[in-house]
Every structure is written in C-alpha cells, then in structure tokens.
Amino acid sequence: MTDALKRLSEEGVAIWLDDLSRKRITSGNLAELIDQQHVVGVTTNPTIFQKAISSGDGYEQQLADLAARKVTVEEAIRMITTADVRDAADILRPVFDATEGQDGRVSIEVDPRLAHSTRATVAEAKQLAWLVDRPNTLIKIPATRAGLPAIAETIGNGISVNVTLIFSLERYRAVMDAYLSGLEKAREKGLDLSKIHSVASFFVSRVDTEIDKRIDKLGTDEAKALRGKAAVANARLAYEAYEEVFSSDRWSALEKAGANKQRPLWASTGVKDKAYKDTLYVDELVAPNTVNTMPEATLVATEDHGEITGNTVAGTYEQARADLDALAKLGISYDEVVQLLEDEGVEKFEASWNDLLKSTEAELQRLAPSEG
C-alpha cells in the first residue's frame, strides 16, 4: 500500500466515492472509507441506485412497508433513495463541519426523464432538497441545454448543485456562467452566498472510449499514437477554463460577497480500456481545488499503486490543445463526439431509471399484503 490517497488529498484533490448502497451504510463500510481512505464525499446516479436496490440487500423491510401503504412506484423510489442519501449525509456530517461545507457532501440526481425540461427540473430539485433535508446535500442536474437555466434558478434559490454530464469545453463554460448567474440571483434575494456550494462534473473516461473507437477505425500509426490522450487533454483544458472564469472581475465581485468557487469534479474516472493504467484518470488530473469521484475499484487501485507526483495539470495546456487539434486533423469531430456522449449519458440514466421502476414495482407487488 502507498500513501497515494493521502498525497492526493494534500495536493488539493477531494476524494469522493462514486457509489452508495444501504449495505455500505449499515455495515460501517462508508464510515471506514472516510476514516481510512480519505473519502470526503459521495456521488450517486440512477445507475448506482438501480444496482443497489436491485441487489435487494437491506431494502426488504422498507419495500414491505411501502407496499403496505400502496404508494406509487415513483414515490417508493424517492423514499428509498432519499433515505440512503440522508443516512450517508449524516455519516459525512463531521467532514462537512470540519471543511466549512466544502466537502462531506452527498449528491442525488433529479429524475433523468426531466433532463430536457427546465421547469420540471427546478421543481424536482426543490422537492429533493426538501425531502433529504440535510445541509450537506448536492442536487445533481444534468448540463443539457434545458439544464443550464435550471442550474441558475436552483442556485438562485440557495440550493447547492452538482452539475453532471459535462463533456464539452463550450458546455462547461456555459455551466460556470449558469452558476455565476445563480449566485447573482441569490445575492439579489439577500441569501447567504457562503452557504451555496457547487461542483461541475466533467466526464473523463467516456471521451477516450468514443474517440479511441474512431481512432481504431482509422487504423493508421498516426491515429494510434493519439489513443488514450483525448480525455485527459479535454479535462486539462476544462481546468484552464475554470482558472480563467474564477479569476474574472465578475467572479471577484461575488467572492467579496462570500461566494464559493464551483470546483471542477472529474467524473467517470474508472478506466474502461485494460491497455491503460487503471489510475490514469487520477494520476494525470491532479490539481488544486478539484474533486475526483472514484468507483471503489479505482479508489483501491490508487491506494495500492497510484503515482501522485504533484500537480499534473499546470503547464500542460499547450500539449492538450495540440492533442485535440491532431484528432481534428484526422477528421475526428470533437463537437460530434461530445454531443453524442451527452445524448448517450442522458439515455443511459433514463434506461437505468426505467429498470429501477420495473424492478421496484415487481418487488412492491411481491410484498403487497393480501387484502384484509
């Protein structure tokens, strides 16, 4: 074992776990990860909940109670998922207090079927914040076109947000703009800006998966030399954009009013291609004031053999731009790839949510008490 996780934390990278289940909460595993593996936050998404609840471990009694009350399947899912998030938030509360609200947070996503409706997303964000009722919650809103005004409005209501499914640099800039707009709305309402937090989840591994597929199709040596470079280059240029926006005059005025920077969060950091080192998206994206949310396998791999050598983002922007330019010269369209990944991301979460609806409905029917 190495001290890689400790070193990562010391470099200003907050380590969050990209997973949650009732078993993880009740077994003491989450508390152990916080205590021993430097974990300071948790992210969830519809796929994570679908896997956890479908496993059935720890959910039987609550499902039986919900079946007895004859609740709708949507209500049952919300009761189950918010209970897990609330309990995880309570376990992380000491971290939240110690970091003055920056970490110790648990994210829960709005219904992915609402991704293209601004109004419904805002309503859902309010409902989730009310249901979980913990100050250390982040409401996850996808960075779709309809999601951008929803982010601004939700932040403007004083609700902390994890913006998810960001793939492109252009969309990331729009996300930061939505955050600043939201803070300006909150300031107009007289809300305490110091209590509002946000992270922007910039997805990493899926970019390599899609671009490598296109590289392999080309099959030339020139193309193959660029395998596994796009995702890290894209994320590093996102950090450059973050540095630019959060050193602007517009930001400076908000910071004076007590606002917190919206931290970049590296999401989808599990390596999908076995040809790459399994800690690639941790080792190569070390920069101050960032979050890396890892599946447990990546967390364990980083602890075991991660190479944390200091800031690996500073001074890389020129090379990152050159890598993306080289892909464009091969005829690989960046805009086409990132739009495809956003569309697929929303579709995947919708599919997981629909699977969750089906499996939960089957369980409610199985556990429904006979009449009388």
Side-chain angles (χ1 to χ4, degrees), residues 15-27:
I15 299 165
W16 290 7
L17 178 71
D18 192 27
D19 191 51
L20 187 63
S21 66
R22 191 152 298 176
K23 190 179 181 185
R24 205 181 272 289
I25 292 163
T26 56
S27 67

Side-chain angles (χ1 to χ4, degrees), residues 74-289:
E74 276 92 354
E75 188 184 346
I77 288 169
R78 276 306 177 213
M79 291 298 106
I80 292 165
T81 57
T82 54
D84 279 359
V85 168
R86 194 179 305 114
D87 289 344
D90 288 345
I91 293 167
L92 278 155
R93 185 61 191 261
V95 176
F96 174 80
D97 292 338
T99 60
E100 297 183 340
Q102 178 153 281
D103 288 308
R105 291 186 171 268
V106 187
S107 299
I108 184 168
E109 189 142 349
V110 296
D111 184 332
R113 295 172 300 177
L114 309 177
H116 301 296
S117 169
T118 301
R119 193 172 166 194
T121 295
V122 173
E124 172 93 340
K126 286 183 192 166
Q127 172 74 354
L128 282 174
W130 176 83
L131 264 178
V132 177
D133 194 26
R134 293 294 183 272
N136 52 329
T137 312
L138 289 170
I139 307 302
K140 283 179 94 171
I141 298 176
T144 55
R145 284 184 183 85
L148 294 170
I151 292 155
E153 196 170 330
T154 303
I155 291 288
N157 288 329
I159 296 169
S160 294
V161 172
N162 174 345
V163 183
T164 187
L165 290 177
I166 309 169
F167 295 95
S168 84
L169 296 166
E170 184 188 359
R171 186 58 56 85
Y172 177 43
R173 284 183 179 276
V175 164
M176 290 188 282
D177 180 70
Y179 177 59
L180 298 185
S181 297
L183 289 174
E184 286 157 356
K185 287 173 194 271
R187 184 177 57 187
E188 282 166 25
K189 291 179 186 172
L191 298 178
D192 182 353
L193 299 193
S194 71
K195 299 279 191 249
I196 303 170
H197 285 260
S198 183
V199 292
S201 296
F202 199 86
F203 278 54
V204 186
S205 69
R206 293 186 197 180
V207 173
D208 270 343
T209 302
E210 183 56 37
I211 286 183
D212 284 355
K213 207 191 293 177
R214 295 170 187 228
I215 285 172
D216 293 344
K217 211 170 179 182
L218 291 170
T220 64
D221 289 343
E222 187 189 6
K224 285 177 189 167
L226 291 165
R227 278 188 110 259
K229 291 192 173 175
V232 168
N234 198 35
R236 285 171 169 172
L237 293 175
Y239 193 79
E240 181 188 38
Y242 156 78
E243 288 182 311
E244 189 186 304
V245 169
F246 288 99
S247 58
S248 65
D249 291 343
R250 184 184 180 193
W251 164 248
S252 188
L254 288 163
E255 190 173 36
K256 282 180 187 139
N260 301 289
K261 286 179 180 175
Q262 181 188 54
R263 286 182 293 171
L265 177 151
W266 312 128
S268 180
T269 56
V271 171
K272 308 281 195 292
D273 189 328
K274 289 188 166 50
Y276 304 148
K277 190 184 174 196
D278 54 2
T279 59
L280 172 68
Y281 304 126
V282 179
D283 299 350
E284 299 298 322
L285 295 174
V286 179
N289 210 35

Side-chain angles (χ1 to χ4, degrees), residues 3 9-10 13 20-21 24 57 63 68 73 77 84 110 114 118 120-121 151 230 257 299 307 319 337-338 342 349:
D3 279 334
S9 299
E10 287 167 354
V13 180
L20 187 63
S21 66
R24 205 181 272 289
D57 210 341
L63 278 162
V73 64
I77 288 169
D84 279 359
V110 296
L114 309 177
T118 301
T121 295
I151 292 155
L299 182 77
E307 294 176 55
Q319 183 59 53
V337 166
V338 292
E342 181 188 306
F349 282 168

